[in-house]
Amino acid sequence: MAAPLTRHTPSPTWTAVDGYALSHTHPASRPNSAALSATLSASAAAGLPEISVSAAQGKFLALHCRSARVAHALEVGTLGGYSAIWLASENPGLKVTSVEVDPVHAEVARGNVKKAGLEGQVEVVLGAGVDVLGRLQGEVERGERERFGFVFVDADKKNNWEYVRLAKGMVESGAVICVDNIVRGGRLVDEGSQGEAGVLGSRRVVEEVGRAEGLDAVVLQTVGEKSYDGWLWIVVE
Ligand code: SAH
Ligand code: DHB
Ligand code: MG
């Protein structure tokens, strides 16, 4: 356990670097830029919390899916569909199944997906992650559904390990399971934060993955316009 947490003020430099780099690597002239901006605006206008992945994170996940030639991606936690729209719009052959428990979020996401012209690629499934993943796992086991090549876990943090455990049973060999918001400004190792359900869920998934058979993983800390956080990046044997 580390010493008590130093509070990290989000650095204007991190945001400036994201802005500079994206203006070159993903300028507003890209085919999906307008749809991505419209998704964030419509989600904010509908009162959704502004907790989507950053543009750089969304693009990183989409580029990973491209280089790994992922055909089917699974997401837990859709919100307004921003991360799902990144994955689908950067990868024309990719099908995204995204699970959302909040009916308002799911409806806003479906509207954003439709406006982006991605209804054929993104399916938003309404339901609690544990229930829906259990059902999807049954479908995969019965051969009624293709195995997933990438999973993004970004929902209620207390269930992180349950989501990884269920995802492990329905992915291809070599698939990545990425768990968002693992570091949370260092709260992962802050003694004063250990009562928080999200932090407990994040510590549990790190510790369970560390001892699980058939999973190898790393925690990658990140900074940027979404401040200081990090991913648990798991590769399935
Ligand atoms: N991946 C999105 C952000 C997701 S925010 C993006 O980057 O654009 C987290 C979402 O998880 C919220 O919409 C919340 O309603 C949803 N969520 C919370 N608990 C859930 C559960 N038990 N099952 C499915 N979704 C859940
Ligand atoms: C929160 C949730 C997220 O998934 C995220 O990326 C950032 C913040 C939150 O619940 O505060
Ligand atoms: Mg998140």
Side-chain angles (χ1 to χ4, degrees):
M1 186 67 64
L5 181 69
T6 309
R7 286 290 155 195
H8 293 273
T9 311
S11 157
T13 309
W14 302 342
T15 303
V17 169
D18 264 350
Y20 161 77
L22 284 159
S23 75
H24 292 280
T25 59
H26 212 84
S29 56
R30 288 292 176 101
N32 58 356
S33 294
L36 288 161
S37 301
T39 294
L40 291 182
S41 310
S43 302
L48 271 52
E50 296 185 24
I51 55 174
S52 306
V53 292
S54 71
Q57 291 168 340
K59 186 162 186 186
F60 178 87
L61 298 178
L63 289 178
H64 163 73
C65 286
R66 194 187 304 161
S67 61
R69 296 179 165 76
V70 174
H72 299 273
L74 172 64
E75 175 175 73
V76 194
T78 315
L79 193 62
Y82 183 73
S83 48
I85 288 172
W86 262 112
L87 298 182
S89 61
E90 286 285 318
N91 297 289
L94 175 65
K95 292 267 167 44
V96 182
T97 303
S98 186
V99 183
E100 174 56 56
V101 76
D102 185 313
V104 173
H105 296 186
E107 225 19 69
V108 171
R110 287 184 183 126
N112 287 331
V113 165
K114 186 170 182 190
K115 275 185 284 171
L118 295 169
E119 283 166 297
Q121 278 181 263
V122 180
E123 182 194 9
V124 178
V125 181
L126 179 63
V130 172
D131 300 342
V132 176
L133 264 60
R135 178 163 63 72
L136 296 177
Q137 198 183 40
E139 292 175 15
V140 168
E141 279 164 6
R142 292 191 298 276
E144 296 163 9
R145 178 181 281 275
E146 300 287 337
R147 286 185 174 271
F148 297 100
F150 175 69
V151 182
F152 186 46
V153 176
D154 190 19
D156 52 328
K157 313 308 175 190
K158 68 177 187 306
N159 280 317
N160 272 340
W161 167 242
E162 197 57 15
Y163 295 141
V164 170
R165 200 184 61 74
L166 286 161
K168 180 174 184 267
M170 52 179 157
V171 295
E172 299 164 344
S173 175
V176 164
I177 304 171
C178 174
V179 186
D180 197 27
N181 310 116
I182 284 290
V183 176
R184 286 281 174 101
R187 293 212 291 284
L188 183 67
V189 295
D190 173 38
E191 299 204 33
S193 303
Q194 297 311 314
E196 295 175 29
V199 175
L200 285 177
S202 294
R203 287 177 69 91
R204 173 145 192 249
V205 72
V206 169
E207 291 166 23
E208 293 283 2
V209 164
R211 54 181 164 252
E213 292 283 325
L215 298 178
D216 205 356
V218 66
V219 170
L220 189 70
Q221 303 184 74
T222 57
V223 296
E225 60 182 318
K226 291 280 154 119
S227 191
Y228 166 34
D229 210 322
W231 281 330
L232 175 62
W233 189 263
I234 305 164
V235 176
V236 181
E237 197 174 88

